[in-house]
């Protein structure tokens, strides 16, 4: 009777899980594409935008005194090091200003592996910057003291507790905590990576960040246009959706620098524990005296440019587990004869896809975009750089700039291509300029030749030379390379499952209170055997542990063949309750290593178990026997 009850429990559990798997099998994969284009226009019940937060809002007011740290932020330096940045002292706005002395306050970080026990101390550098305007009536700005400290020799997948500041005053921050990433490996990936762009500091921004925090990311990829400080006159006041419209007599595009401080305070609860990797957008240009640009951006943010061999903070690269990220600058020379292109070629040559199988690139303005806004704006950059990214097999490309969401089918040179990257636009963070709602294929909405002139680089607008839009500047319907587009604010989350599967989910702001609701979701699947003929050979690996997100189990059931294999393995997991099979086997079979196990079994049954790590080798053999028997 006892055995019968146990078997009934096992069978019931299996049937429930089977129903869950079948229900969840609706998530498409890029293997199912190219997809028929889908458009969702702005929900008429939603507003196109919202107002900027006032400077006295509690979330952005300064709440520390004197030389105590604020605006604390983390950034990845290398697999074993992290940047910690913060600001101390009082920023100033006025006509005749005296900069603070950076040497007056130390830059220290105390850190350790236990709360309250700081076994190491690191020291760094500090600086200030000024934003100056040689025009009557415009106010200047000089910053507080900006500190950057690099923590070196960190252990992977380890929690570190830290304080920052000056212990001699003393003026130290409260305790914060972060966790380092796993060592670059085809079996190890960050838990979740959030992707946002064109954020600003509005009521919509707060919804975006609140929603993002709920999704518990381990890293943030910020694809440009951060604070929108340049939507104000230097005297401050109310931010505006259109600077030139509101201030037509301004002698220069002004920028109210205290908004940068406000933005840093607003983001601190997140960035003090989760590293944020940034790339510049057009709103970071901020021209001032003598043609100086990007002063605030370059001073405030620490990025691993030196670590990645770049001579500019406007482009760099880094690893996060088994993902290699390339951050490109669209507002600095991108020609194939320039320094950035030479650095990119060298960086791509150094990528080892057996260690970091995933290759992800990001920059601010999109190359593929079917909205009227910024349509073909950076066509020159595409013509210079697209071929090399395609040649080296870049998997995913993130951009912002367009204030809406769009995901492309795999595309290269405006042609559907199964080996092309998946381009995704996430410029929908919630900024003051409002959501984009017009599409270039809408009647009367195709931009003219003089529209969408980039703030950097040339104009290379072209008519299509083939396909349904041959001879035209715009399509008369949603382009074939545009898979899904929607006018809404939100953010994205990418969860890398293994060396070939990654789950991409776009979360709309209006879904913040609806559990398990989202706007777009797809598994992006790499096909190295199809698309890497000119690259280094790729060794197939299986993840060594169960992915931490329950939703990742869905990768195992995107096709009927894998669904069968998945259901079988779930049954094995259930049987292990009564047969006491090894826990390691249950974990390996219960994870999204199914596609990898199945590829091994179907190819060379026993020999290929050797590709797995030692602790999974015996499990692989046992799984093979069970699969063959089944």
């Amino acid at each position: 009777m006892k055995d019968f009850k146990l078997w009934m429990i096992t069978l019931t559990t299996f049937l429930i899980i089977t129903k869950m798997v079948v229900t969840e099998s609706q998530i498409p994969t890029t293997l199912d594409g190219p997809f028929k284009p889908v458009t969702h226009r702005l929900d008429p019940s939603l507003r196109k935008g919202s107002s900027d937060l006032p400077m006295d809002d509690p979330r952005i007011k300064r709440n520390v005194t004197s030389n105590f740290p604020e605006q604390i932020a983390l950034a990845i330096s290398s697999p074993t090091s992290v940047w910690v940045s913060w600001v101390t002292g009082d920023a100033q706005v006025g006509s005749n200003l005296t900069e603070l002395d950076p040497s007056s306050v130390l830059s220290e970080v105390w850190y350790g592996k236990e709360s309250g026990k700081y076994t190491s101390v690191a020291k760094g550098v500090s600086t200030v910057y000024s934003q100056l305007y040689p025009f009557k009536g415009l106010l200047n700005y000089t910053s507080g003291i900006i500190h950057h400290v690099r923590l070196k020799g960190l252990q992977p997948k380890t929690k570190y507790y830290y304080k920052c500041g000056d212990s001699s005053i003393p003026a130290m921050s409260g305790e914060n905590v972060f966790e380092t990433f796993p060592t670059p490996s085809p079996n190890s990936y960050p838990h979740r990576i959030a992707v946002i762009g064109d954020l600003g500091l509005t009521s919509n921004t707060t919804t975006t960040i609140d929603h993002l925090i709920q999704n518990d990311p381990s890293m943030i990829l910020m694809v440009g246009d951060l604070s929108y400080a340049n939507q104000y006159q230097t005297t401050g006041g109310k931010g505006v959706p259109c600077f030139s419209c509101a201030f037509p007599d301004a002698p220069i595009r002004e920028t109210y620098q205290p908004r940068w401080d406000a933005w840093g305070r607003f983001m601190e609860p997140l960035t003090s524990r989760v590293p944020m990797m940034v790339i510049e957008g057009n709103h970071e240009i901020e021209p001032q005296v003598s043609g100086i640009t990007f002063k605030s951006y370059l001073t405030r943010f620490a990025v691993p440019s030196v670590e990645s061999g770049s001579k500019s903070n406007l482009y760099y690269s880094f690893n996060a587990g088994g993902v290699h990220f390339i951050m490109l600058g669209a507002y600095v020379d991108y020609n194939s004869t320039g320094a950035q292109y030479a650095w990119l070629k060298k960086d791509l040559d150094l990528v080892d896809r057996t260690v970091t199988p995933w290759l992800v690139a990001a920059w601010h303005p999109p190359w593929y975009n079917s909205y009227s806004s910024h349509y073909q704006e950076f066509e020159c950059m595409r013509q210079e750089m697209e071929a090399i990214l395609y040649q080296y097999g870049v998997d995913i490309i993130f951009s912002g700039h367009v204030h809406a969401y769009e995901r492309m089918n795999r595309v290269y040179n405006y042609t559907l291509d199964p080996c092309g990257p998946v381009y995704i636009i996430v410029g929908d963070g919630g900024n003051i300029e409002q959501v984009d709602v017009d599409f270039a294929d809408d009647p009367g909405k195709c931009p003219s030749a003089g529209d969408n002139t980039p703030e950097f680089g040339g104009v290379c607008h072209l008519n299509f030379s083939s396909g349904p839009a041959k001879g035209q500047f715009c399509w008369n319907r949603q382009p074939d390379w545009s898979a899904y587009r929607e006018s809404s604010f939100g953010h994205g989350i990418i969860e890398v499952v293994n060396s070939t599967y990654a789950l991409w989910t776009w979360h709309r702001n209006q879904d913040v209170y609806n559990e398990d609701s989202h706007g777009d979701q797809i598994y992006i699947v790499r096909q190295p055997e199809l698309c890497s003929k000119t690259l280094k050979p790729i060794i197939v690996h299986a993840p060594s542990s169960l992915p931490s997100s329950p939703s990742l189990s869905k990768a195992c059931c995107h096709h009927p063949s894998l669904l069968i294999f998945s259901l079988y393995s779930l049954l094995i997991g259930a049987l292990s309750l009564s047969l006491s099979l090894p826990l390691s086997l249950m974990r390996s079979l219960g994870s999204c290593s199914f596609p990898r196990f199945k590829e091994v079994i179907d190819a060379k049954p026993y020999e290929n178990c050797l590709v797995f790590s030692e602790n999974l080798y015996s499990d692989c053999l046992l799984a093979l026997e069970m699969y063959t028997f089944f």
Side-chain angles (χ1 to χ4, degrees), residues 90-110:
D90 297 313
Q92 306 166 65
V93 175
S95 299
N96 299 307
L97 304 175
T98 301
E99 291 185 345
L100 298 176
D101 178 8
S103 66
S104 63
V105 181
L106 298 179
S107 305
E108 296 178 318
V109 176
W110 294 14

Side-chain angles (χ1 to χ4, degrees), residues 169-184:
I169 296 179
M172 298 292 287
S173 71
E175 184 179 81
N176 293 296
V177 62
F178 67 89
E179 185 171 350
T180 54
F181 285 165
T183 301

Side-chain angles (χ1 to χ4, degrees), residues 283-349:
H283 284 273
E284 279 72 67
I285 298 175
E286 299 184 314
Q288 54 168 311
V289 171
S290 303
I292 296 173
T293 55
F294 294 110
K295 192 65 175 179
S296 180
Y297 173 83
L298 293 172
T299 310
R300 290 177 180 270
F301 297 99
V303 298
S305 54
V306 174
E307 298 93 314
S308 59
S310 170
K311 295 181 179 180
S312 170
N313 280 18
L314 299 177
Y315 51 89
Y316 62 93
S317 67
F318 66 96
N319 290 330
V323 186
H324 184 72
F325 287 90
I326 298 176
M327 311 292 277
L328 294 178
Y331 302 93
V332 62
D333 184 11
Y334 48 69
N335 290 321
S336 58
T337 56
Q340 178 176 202
Y341 192 96
W343 166 84
L344 173 61
K345 175 68 165 61
K346 184 177 181 180
D347 189 81
L348 288 169
D349 281 336

Side-chain angles (χ1 to χ4, degrees), residues 110-389:
W110 294 14
Y111 61 103
K113 298 177 185 177
E114 296 182 44
S115 177
K117 295 182 179 180
Y118 312 112
T119 56
S120 301
V121 177
K123 296 185 178 181
V125 298
S126 59
T127 187
V128 298
Y129 78 94
S130 293
Q131 189 84 8
L132 305 175
Y133 299 104
F135 301 101
K136 184 178 179 180
L138 273 61
L139 299 181
N140 296 323
Y141 169 92
T142 185
S143 71
I145 301 172
I146 298 169
H147 306 260
H148 300 297
V149 176
R150 187 183 181 201
L151 312 186
K152 304 177 184 179
L154 304 178
Q155 295 181 358
K157 298 185 70 172
T158 303
K159 276 189 176 182
Y160 285 91
Y161 300 84
Y162 74 97
K163 289 184 174 183
C164 59
D166 184 342
S167 60
S168 68
I169 296 179
M172 298 292 287
S173 71
E175 184 179 81
N176 293 296
V177 62
F178 67 89
E179 185 171 350
T180 54
F181 285 165
T183 301
S185 159
N187 301 324
S188 302
Y189 299 94
H191 173 55
R192 289 190 185 98
I193 300 169
V195 188
I196 49 177
D198 301 74
L199 194 59
L201 198 51
T202 69
S203 296
N204 279 324
T205 305
T206 65
T207 304
T208 300
I209 295 302
D210 287 347
H211 198 180
L212 184 152
I213 290 173
Q214 287 183 18
N215 284 320
D216 188 29
S218 52
M219 188 186 92
I220 307 159
L221 197 68
M222 178 72 209
V223 294
D225 285 2
L226 284 67
S227 72
Y228 282 77
N230 68 344
Q231 294 297 112
Y232 287 75
Q233 285 185 308
T234 57
T235 52
K238 185 178 180 181
V240 292
C242 173
F243 186 93
S244 60
C245 306
F247 313 121
D249 299 325
I252 192 172
R253 176 68 180 254
E254 302 173 49
T255 173
Y256 187 58
Q257 291 294 297
R259 291 300 285 186
W260 275 111
D261 296 308
W263 194 83
R265 295 176 194 127
F266 173 76
M267 295 294 290
E268 181 181 343
L270 179 61
T271 59
S272 60
R273 59 183 180 84
V274 177
M276 179 175 66
M277 308 307 292
V278 300
I279 197 65
E280 74 279 0
N282 56 300
H283 284 273
E284 279 72 67
I285 298 175
E286 299 184 314
Q288 54 168 311
V289 171
S290 303
I292 296 173
T293 55
F294 294 110
K295 192 65 175 179
S296 180
Y297 173 83
L298 293 172
T299 310
R300 290 177 180 270
F301 297 99
V303 298
S305 54
V306 174
E307 298 93 314
S308 59
S310 170
K311 295 181 179 180
S312 170
N313 280 18
L314 299 177
Y315 51 89
Y316 62 93
S317 67
F318 66 96
N319 290 330
V323 186
H324 184 72
F325 287 90
I326 298 176
M327 311 292 277
L328 294 178
Y331 302 93
V332 62
D333 184 11
Y334 48 69
N335 290 321
S336 58
T337 56
Q340 178 176 202
Y341 192 96
W343 166 84
L344 173 61
K345 175 68 165 61
K346 184 177 181 180
D347 189 81
L348 288 169
D349 281 336
L350 293 173
V351 175
D352 185 348
R353 302 299 281 270
T354 67
V355 178
T356 53
W358 287 89
L359 187 51
V360 177
W363 57 84
H364 184 59
W367 293 348
Y368 291 92
N369 158 41
S370 65
Y371 288 82
S372 299
S373 179
H374 306 301
Y375 182 78
Q376 280 200 25
E377 185 175 302
F378 273 76
E379 177 63 17
C380 291
M381 184 182 181
R382 184 193 71 82
Q383 292 179 24
E384 292 288 336
M385 286 188 156
E386 184 180 26
I388 191 172
L389 298 182

Side-chain angles (χ1 to χ4, degrees), residues 531-548:
C531 302
S532 300
K533 296 177 181 178
T534 62
L535 305 181
K536 299 174 183 178
I538 295 178
I539 299 174
V540 176
H541 294 269
S544 58
S545 61
L546 180 68
S548 56

